[in-house]
Amino acid sequence: MPGFSDRDRGRDRGYGSGPPRFGGGGRGGGGGGKFGNPGDRLRKKHWNLDELSKFEKNFYQEHPDVNRRSPQEVTQYRSTKAVTVKGRDCPNPIMKFHEASFPTYVMDVINKAGWSEPTPIQAQGWPLALSGKDMVGIAQTGSGKTLSYLLPAIVHINHQPFLERGDGPICLVLAPTRELAQQVQQVAAEYGRASRLKSVCVYGGAPKGPQLRDLDRGVEICIATPGRLIDFLEAGKTNMRRCTYLVLDEADRMLDMGFEPQIRKIVDQIRPDRQTLMWSATWPKEVRQLAEDFLKDYVQINVGALQLSANHNILQIVDVCNDGEKEDKLLRLLEEIMSEKENKTIIFTETKRRCDEITRRMRRDGWPAMGIHGDKSQQERDWVLNEFKFGKAPILIATDVASRGLDVEDVKFVINFDYPNNSEDYIHRIGRTARSQKTGTAYTFFTPNNMRQASDLVAVLREANQAINPKLLQMADRGGHSRGGRGGSGFRDDRRDRYSSGGRRDFSSFRDRENDRGFDSGPKKVFGTNSQSGGYGASGFDKSGNGFGGYGSNGQSNYGTSQAGAFPTQNFQAPQFSANQGGIQNGMSHQQFPFTQQQAPQPMVPYSMPPQFPQ
DNA sequence: AAAAAAC
């Protein structure tokens, strides 16, 4: 493979026959000692960019097939895939995996995974990252983002001299949550294995010992949450002297969580001639500022994400109701979901306390549910997540600790028990389903307390061609300003204002007392084709706005009994649910709740109690 | 008013 042959060969003989050795010569044919003593480089006043990224700069010459793409072809690709590019000298996208010219040790893993073509962010991001330039990627999770930066990282590392004793990582990835960091590390381990790269996940809440051992042994890739890494850096347990490839994953999220000082502290220690890649789901001015400070002459790639945009493979259903109704509604909904064959479900709550309450309630009713939030020990969090991942317990109840990045295959349903504080979180939460070309369904309870998010949500639903609950539209009308008109670029700019402005509004006047009383109002063929809701466009809701909240006076399952065609979503087959044939009838009224232990539906999946964790 | 993250 042109351009990589030196390195490949270098690895195949001699160098590759064992793990990279401390004190060994340079990696591949680069000539030992070029960077022999990283300390020397640190002492230099001027940073020699040319030396470091010679490989990256040669990328174009080595891959004429990528460059030769005609401008028309590029334009067409970018427009059909809704990819926009901003910045100087952005290489053309690749359209097939082989065009990326990854070395065989990477291609083998790609081939084994059996994907058909690169995702848009990969198609554009790979050549860009491989060319050595700084970049910003604006893309949703689930878009193939992790591999977009990890594979070029692996190539980059393989073109650097071997680690020597005392060297820190060559590639650093910063992530907002521990779970995300662990996940990224798993991918890094999988793809780095073939070229014998070692990786470590540095995060809090877990014993330091193993992490320190890994660092001490020498790791090329370090994935970290900021706190523990700073801890280690300050204690001199690791260093950033060798770090030349920096990734900030979920940058917007990290800023939200107030990590900015920590991030700056870490990045200040990383040599300025590094390559920096920043990833974010949104592009508010805080993130722009961070990019200005940390990146040089960067190219920005957007994948249809500058405006609020959710994955179109998700069927989104919003139930406008009152807070008091939510719990019963949830149990009924769950009953239907659990009669499905594929039923992996995440339920999001606003608070940790609520998360615990719901978990307790569900378990009391016999559901195989488990909770996860930030007050639980890391040991328990890991355990719960694994049980969920491997299907031992199909119901996960979570706070926003799990809203982003979490990549569990086959999540078919997301339920927003509480609507999140901001609409990006809504998009991230529902994005836990319908991953990698699959489809999924998101149910959302929306109450008058969420009024100020109504217009955002409507915008999201519109963009995804979803049927919109007229009650929600009503709330959006009365709910005041919409962010939609601002063109999206400043999506979270007004965050602080919204949180601190004035006193709380009194929403009671908006309550629709007639319809919010219970389960009993109105005709119930919810998603039928009764489009007398004229004013509401293509919406399949009836006038009462009972999106999926009306429970079966006609004995029909109202959750998702969607006739094909009721949803104008393109390229999407609305899931067909059978009416529940189980012991609990759909037409039952809410007075019969709560379930007793005996009545409770049996879990679909054998479920064992979690081990006892220390409080 | 809440969530996450270092001890």
Side-chain angles (χ1 to χ4, degrees):
Chain A
M1 205 156 287
F4 293 92
S5 49
D6 277 355
R7 302 293 165 168
D8 287 344
R9 254 183 275 124
R11 297 213 135 252
D12 288 339
R13 21 173 169 105
Y15 297 116
S17 63
R21 286 153 297 173
F22 290 116
R27 191 181 294 249
K34 195 163 72 166
F35 304 100
N37 183 358
D40 288 346
R41 292 187 58 84
L42 275 180
R43 272 179 239 116
K44 285 183 188 162
K45 278 251 166 74
H46 301 288
W47 303 87
N48 189 346
L49 264 173
D50 294 334
E51 197 181 351
L52 191 76
S53 57
K54 200 181 329 176
F55 152 69
E56 285 94 340
K57 291 196 167 152
N58 287 336
F59 181 82
Y60 297 111
Q61 282 127 42
E62 290 171 2
H63 302 102
D65 51 332
V66 173
N67 275 322
R68 217 181 286 129
R69 217 175 284 300
S70 71
Q72 291 85 347
E73 202 183 353
V74 172
T75 314
Q76 196 196 348
Y77 181 91
R78 288 183 180 153
S79 62
T80 53
K81 301 284 177 177
V83 179
T84 58
V85 170
K86 245 168 35 190
R88 297 189 306 154
D89 302 329
C90 181
N92 293 338
I94 57 146
M95 312 218 177
K96 298 282 173 207
F97 287 114
H98 69 85
E99 291 179 11
S101 301
F102 285 124
T104 46
Y105 54 80
V106 167
M107 278 310 288
D108 288 346
V109 194
I110 291 180
N111 290 333
K112 220 165 52 192
W115 298 302
S116 55
E117 60 174 12
T119 69
I121 195 72
Q122 292 166 347
Q124 189 59 85
W126 278 335
L128 180 55
L130 286 169
S131 77
K133 283 177 75 90
D134 286 359
M135 63 165 287
V136 168
I138 311 288
Q140 307 299 324
T141 47
S143 54
K145 187 165 62 100
T146 310
L147 283 184
S148 305
Y149 62 74
L150 274 185
L151 297 192
I154 289 171
V155 173
H156 173 91
I157 292 166
N158 277 295
H159 284 76
Q160 308 303 317
F162 282 126
L163 290 180
E164 297 184 23
R165 186 166 294 286
D167 281 354
I170 296 171
C171 164
L172 174 69
V173 179
L174 289 177
T177 66
R178 299 165 183 173
E179 277 76 11
L180 179 58
Q182 293 177 53
Q183 214 167 261
V184 172
Q185 196 249 336
Q186 281 160 16
V187 181
E190 185 184 345
Y191 283 82
R193 195 172 299 129
S195 49
R196 296 189 171 79
L197 300 187
K198 293 191 295 281
S199 55
V200 65
C201 189
V202 167
Y203 59 98
K208 290 179 178 175
Q211 297 175 11
L212 285 174
R213 252 198 315 280
D214 286 346
L215 284 171
D216 204 45
R217 215 180 48 202
V219 288
E220 285 86 0
I221 305 173
C222 172
I223 296 100
T225 51
R228 178 64 65 89
L229 181 63
I230 289 179
D231 194 5
F232 283 172
L233 285 171
E234 284 177 345
K237 304 290 187 191
T238 187
N239 62 74
M240 289 296 131
R241 290 197 293 270
R242 280 295 301 275
C243 179
T244 48
Y245 192 98
L246 170 67
V247 180
L248 304 172
D249 204 352
E250 305 272 4
D252 52 347
R253 178 63 159 181
M254 291 202 280
L255 291 184
D256 266 6
M257 289 164 56
F259 280 166
E260 185 166 354
Q262 287 98 315
I263 295 172
R264 288 187 182 277
K265 200 165 175 179
I266 294 167
V267 176
D268 280 349
Q269 301 198 25
I270 304 180
R271 44 200 294 168
D273 59 349
R274 63 176 186 260
Q275 182 181 358
T276 312
L277 299 87
M278 197 163 104
W279 299 83
S280 179
T282 56
W283 191 231
K285 70 169 176 285
E286 293 88 351
V287 180
R288 288 202 292 272
Q289 186 57 51
L290 211 61
E292 290 303 320
D293 293 349
F294 291 163
L295 280 61
K296 309 169 298 291
D297 189 26
Y298 63 87
V299 173
Q300 182 189 331
I301 304 177
N302 303 311
V303 181
L306 269 190
Q307 73 284 5
L308 287 165
S309 167
N311 183 336
H312 286 205
N313 287 335
I314 303 168
L315 173 64
Q316 303 177 55
I317 299 173
V318 176
D319 186 5
V320 178
C321 61
N322 281 331
D323 282 304
E325 301 172 294
K326 293 201 286 194
E327 208 164 312
D328 282 347
K329 280 176 178 252
L330 174 70
L331 287 164
R332 286 178 169 270
L333 173 56
L334 219 59
E335 182 195 325
E336 295 200 17
I337 286 178
M338 286 301 128
S339 68
E340 293 293 319
K341 207 167 176 180
E342 288 190 280
N343 55 15
K344 223 177 239 192
T345 303
I346 305 182
I347 301 166
F348 283 103
T349 63
E350 191 54 37
T351 65
K352 291 178 278 204
R353 199 178 137 190
R354 189 85 110 143
C355 175
D356 283 335
E357 284 167 7
I358 301 284
T359 309
R360 260 198 305 276
R361 170 79 194 270
M362 307 259 273
R363 293 180 69 92
R364 202 174 57 225
D365 291 351
W367 292 108
M370 295 191 307
I372 185 169
H373 60 64
D375 274 359
K376 293 195 185 282
S377 73
Q378 193 57 40
Q379 193 196 7
E380 184 169 356
R381 278 164 64 169
D382 292 345
W383 189 88
V384 164
L385 204 56
N386 265 317
E387 291 291 292
F388 182 65
K389 209 177 240 174
F390 298 117
K392 302 260 182 54
I395 304 173
L396 182 71
I397 299 144
T399 59
D400 278 320
V401 69
S403 65
R404 296 199 184 205
L406 194 77
D407 191 13
V408 174
E409 282 291 303
D410 301 326
V411 174
K412 294 308 281 183
F413 301 92
V414 166
I415 303 171
N416 288 299
F417 185 81
D418 302 309
Y419 193 80
N421 281 323
N422 61 73
S423 296
E424 294 111 306
D425 282 338
Y426 171 79
I427 287 165
H428 282 289
R429 285 176 174 189
I430 71 173
R432 294 318 96 209
T433 181
R435 297 184 73 76
S436 48
Q437 315 301 323
K438 299 197 179 72
T439 57
T441 308
Y443 296 99
T444 300
F445 295 119
F446 199 92
T447 73
N449 285 328
N450 308 123
M451 175 85 82
R452 56 177 88 186
Q453 315 286 345
S455 58
D456 277 358
L457 182 53
V458 167
V460 173
L461 295 169
R462 280 226 172 88
E463 198 276 335
N465 307 317
Q466 302 287 310
I468 303 177
N469 186 329
K471 267 177 157 179
L472 183 65
L473 282 173
Q474 226 170 39
M475 285 177 123
D477 280 347
R478 302 196 216 170
H481 70 282
S482 155
R483 292 185 288 179
R486 304 240 299 255
S489 67
F491 184 49
R492 205 196 273 110
D493 287 1
D494 57 344
R495 180 183 175 81
R496 203 158 295 133
D497 310 345
R498 277 188 288 132
Y499 290 170
S500 59
S501 70
R504 291 180 63 79
R505 279 179 254 177
D506 176 13
F507 294 121
S508 58
S509 61
F510 297 113
R511 294 225 175 95
D512 183 347
R513 292 166 206 287
E514 187 74 318
N515 283 326
D516 282 343
R517 233 177 327 129
F519 299 106
D520 53 352
S521 58
K524 290 306 177 289
K525 193 178 176 190
V526 176
F527 288 120
T529 44
N530 53 340
S531 52
Q532 82 272 35
S533 51
Y536 302 122
S539 148
F541 288 89
D542 62 31
K543 270 191 176 140
S544 72
N546 280 313
F548 61 96
Y551 292 91
S553 54
N554 59 358
Q556 213 180 337
S557 162
N558 291 301
Y559 283 103
T561 47
S562 46
Q563 274 82 11
F567 290 89
T569 315
Q570 283 168 3
N571 307 323
F572 179 69
Q573 181 100 38
Q576 299 289 318
F577 300 153
S578 53
N580 184 7
Q581 302 299 318
I584 310 284
Q585 293 306 310
N586 277 300
M588 85 191 290
S589 75
H590 69 288
Q591 281 91 339
Q592 287 176 255
F593 285 90
F595 291 124
T596 65
Q597 197 68 41
Q598 286 73 26
Q599 289 173 304
Q602 284 309 299
M604 303 285 290
V605 179
Y607 178 66
S608 58
M609 292 294 288
Q612 289 304 307
F613 293 99
Q615 290 306 314

